[in-house]
Amino acid sequence: MTSWSVADIQRQMRAGQLSARALTEAYLQRIGEIDRSGPAINSVIELNPQAVEQAARLDAERSAGVVRGPLHGVPVLIKDNIDTADALQTTAGSLALEGHVAARDAHVVERMRAAGVVLLGKTNLSEWANFRSTRSTSGWSSRGGQTRNPHVLDRSPCGSSSGSGAAVAAQLCAVAVGTETDGSVVCPSNSNGIVGIKPTLGLVSRSGIIPIAHSQDTAGPMARSVADAAALLGAMAGADRRDPATTATGRNVQTDYVRYLDEGAVKGSRLGIARNFFGFDHRVDAVMEESIAALRHLGAEIIDPIDLPTSSGYDNSEYEVLLYEFKADLNAYLADMQSGPWPRSLAALIAYNEANAARIMPYFGQEIFLQAQEKGPLSDVAYRDALANNRRLSREEGIDGALAKYRLDAIVAPTGGPAWSIDLVNGDHFGGSCSSPAAVSGYPHITVPAGFIHELPVGISFFAGAWSESKLIALAYAFEQATQVFRAPRFIPSIGL
């Protein structure tokens, strides 16, 4: 039952053949067998001691004729940078925040609780969402240790939503929530062979999520299928007065993305192939050629190639913006925490890390923290100019420009390469990536499994303009149903390459 889809779960529950409590207990047992022992993926940083009780309450509601929606009684894991006002800590994987329990749920958690999910626990992540060191290792945190890729255990799960990606692939939950600033949903989805959706900025509230940068941060669903990801996205989306980016979205925010699942959606669509994101690995290129052929067979008009500039024009300005916003946004989050022994500013956090370097920085340092601390306020001309450059190059001269020039429904590119070996000495060895255009513009991006290279999955990406989630979900679903690439992991110790 731990491999069932959200729709399967609901069918079984409606028929009286499954309870939320039984399913929750099955996932908890599997976490004990797969995550904590056995292959020891180490994707779950903390279990919710109230999970079974939550499930029982939701079963009672169903028995009384109350069903909140398609996620009623569905067990979910969320990333450990998302606030929950319960028995669970929120630490961003850092021992500096160990013991911190939020006073209030993040808005996205409020939304999911209202939808009837069972919160199983929290997932490990790359500490501080991979924004502490220039030489970090994805999936490692001082509080949680190293998460492993369930397909090949000595390979990286990518990050920063490492635990969410590995847990979904290993069937430790029905669906999970990750967060992304640039690549942190789509990269672990690619590396773990699952579906990930990075939504339009403002579709999902950022309040109650430990930040990197407000101009790019968003939470997103991670699942074993497009249908499951669409179901979770509908529960996550919604306006929040604590997050001004969500309050002006109007009809762009929807609560039902499942209705856009359409096996015929590719027929008649115009899809642009961004060839400048190819070429980093000939094996990935071969998988992509097969995927493009499948899209053409489904009736797409393939525009190949299109001119979509890479992020080289805004690499430096993106990093500049992230440094400025990280200092401002993290300072605001830390200052707003409940009273306790935790650092209340970036400067205090840096000092804490230095004083506890043996525990917190045994493998890599905090160079990014130090760079961010040197930045001034968001009123600085350097920040405003960098942000304007990002938006111009990623939007009107980037995604929006390409969509208009070629009259496209979506842009297609390889999400990334196969997972690299975990290397705590040297850090990550990223291959290619197409995450930056959608991340910097704040536009949606969905990745779907496309193939395998030596037992390691690789994905195909679809992205387009703001609020195009419904179209992207339809295209991704049609591709997924036609190709059926998803494969459950086999927990191979190593492939020796």
Side-chain angles (χ1 to χ4, degrees):
M1 70 177 70
T2 57
S3 65
W4 286 346
S5 70
V6 168
D8 290 336
I9 290 168
Q10 292 304 320
R11 278 193 293 268
Q12 294 291 326
M13 288 184 176
R14 282 196 302 269
Q17 297 175 346
L18 177 68
S19 68
R21 177 169 184 158
L23 183 59
T24 298
E25 290 173 340
Y27 277 123
L28 292 173
Q29 180 179 344
R30 185 167 175 83
I31 289 169
E33 294 171 349
I34 301 295
D35 204 59
R36 305 300 173 89
S37 57
I41 299 164
N42 198 39
S43 63
V44 180
I45 201 168
E46 186 175 3
L47 288 171
N48 182 7
Q50 301 166 342
V52 174
E53 179 185 342
Q54 286 180 11
R57 286 200 303 267
L58 290 163
D59 285 334
E61 287 186 12
R62 186 182 292 271
S63 296
V66 177
V67 178
R68 302 187 186 199
L71 291 177
H72 188 105
V74 173
V76 176
L77 286 166
I78 67 171
K79 189 175 177 181
D80 180 39
N81 60 348
I82 302 174
D83 285 347
T84 56
D86 52 22
L88 293 166
Q89 302 175 54
T90 304
T91 70
S94 176
L95 289 172
L97 297 188
E98 189 173 31
H100 167 239
V101 175
R104 179 176 178 177
D105 281 342
H107 183 261
V108 68
V109 175
E110 292 177 359
R111 294 277 307 164
M112 291 191 297
R113 289 196 202 274
V117 307
V118 177
L119 183 55
L120 279 177
K122 293 194 174 180
T123 55
N124 197 22
L125 68 158
S126 310
E127 184 165 322
W128 295 106
N130 244 354
F131 207 70
R132 197 192 84 187
S133 173
T134 56
R135 200 171 50 78
S136 62
T137 297
S138 285
W140 184 90
S141 72
S142 60
R143 180 175 170 230
Q146 179 66 53
T147 297
R148 302 184 178 278
N149 190 310
H151 289 275
V152 181
L153 298 173
D154 65 355
R155 295 281 166 157
S156 174
C158 198
S160 62
S161 304
S162 316
S164 294
V168 167
Q171 300 170 18
L172 306 183
C173 57
V175 288
V177 178
T179 66
E180 173 162 331
T181 305
D182 189 340
S184 287
V185 165
V186 296
C187 184
S189 296
N190 172 79
S191 294
N192 291 282
I194 62 170
V195 175
I197 301 177
K198 197 285 290 185
T200 302
L201 190 75
L203 184 66
V204 176
S205 173
R206 300 161 297 182
S207 67
I209 300 176
I210 297 177
I212 291 180
H214 60 264
S215 65
Q216 295 183 207
D217 288 352
T218 183
M222 303 171 76
R224 290 183 290 274
S225 70
V226 175
D228 287 357
L232 182 55
L233 181 61
M236 296 170 64
D240 173 19
R241 62 176 178 229
R242 291 188 289 162
D243 184 352
T246 69
T247 58
T249 54
R251 288 180 294 177
N252 291 312
V253 175
Q254 302 182 45
T255 58
D256 180 9
Y257 289 95
V258 173
R259 64 192 174 115
Y260 296 106
L261 303 176
D262 178 7
E263 291 189 30
V266 169
K267 186 175 183 179
S269 64
R270 288 175 60 88
L271 303 179
I273 310 302
R275 286 282 170 186
N276 46 347
F277 292 100
F278 289 59
F280 59 88
D281 188 321
H282 71 277
R283 302 164 302 176
V284 175
D285 289 351
V287 170
M288 284 299 298
E289 294 305 331
E290 293 178 0
S291 299
I292 294 167
L295 291 166
R296 186 178 282 113
H297 180 74
L298 289 170
E301 185 176 356
I302 301 297
I303 315 304
D304 185 8
I306 65 162
D307 178 24
L308 179 70
T310 64
S311 60
S312 58
Y314 50 85
D315 273 341
N316 292 336
S317 59
E318 179 190 11
Y319 191 54
E320 184 84 346
V321 166
L322 298 188
L323 291 173
Y324 267 99
E325 292 188 2
F326 180 69
K327 180 181 180 181
D329 295 353
L330 185 64
N331 278 339
Y333 178 91
L334 293 174
D336 194 47
M337 287 168 52
Q338 294 190 91
S339 61
W342 310 288
R344 307 310 289 265
S345 68
L346 177 57
L349 177 59
I350 289 169
Y352 182 95
N353 288 348
E354 289 176 349
N356 296 274
R359 294 194 308 147
I360 291 181
M361 300 190 293
Y363 303 114
F364 50 86
Q366 54 179 346
E367 304 86 25
I368 294 175
F369 278 13
L370 295 169
Q371 292 170 15
Q373 180 59 26
E374 293 301 311
K375 297 300 178 182
L378 298 185
S379 57
D380 278 3
V381 172
Y383 165 73
R384 297 202 307 269
D385 287 349
L387 183 61
N389 185 69
N390 287 352
R391 289 176 173 169
R392 175 175 58 84
L393 292 178
S394 67
R395 293 179 181 178
E396 54 259 40
E397 296 181 23
I399 292 175
D400 291 331
L403 293 172
K405 178 179 179 180
Y406 300 102
R407 296 179 290 112
L408 301 175
D409 292 291
I411 297 166
V412 176
T415 309
W420 56 93
S421 297
I422 294 169
D423 186 348
L424 289 165
V425 175
N426 298 300
D428 286 331
H429 309 284
F430 286 103
S433 171
C434 69
S435 67
S436 289
V440 175
S441 63
Y443 292 171
H445 178 175
I446 182 168
T447 179
V448 183
F452 283 79
I453 298 170
H454 294 298
E455 301 292 337
L456 294 165
V458 292
I460 182 173
S461 285
F462 300 84
F463 50 97
W467 315 114
S468 60
E469 280 83 358
S470 57
K471 182 183 296 184
L472 296 178
I473 286 169
L475 292 170
Y477 178 75
F479 172 84
E480 172 196 59
Q481 294 302 299
T483 57
Q484 296 290 321
V485 171
F486 173 80
R487 182 192 305 171
R490 296 198 292 151
F491 311 107
I492 298 169
S494 177
I495 52 176
L497 297 173

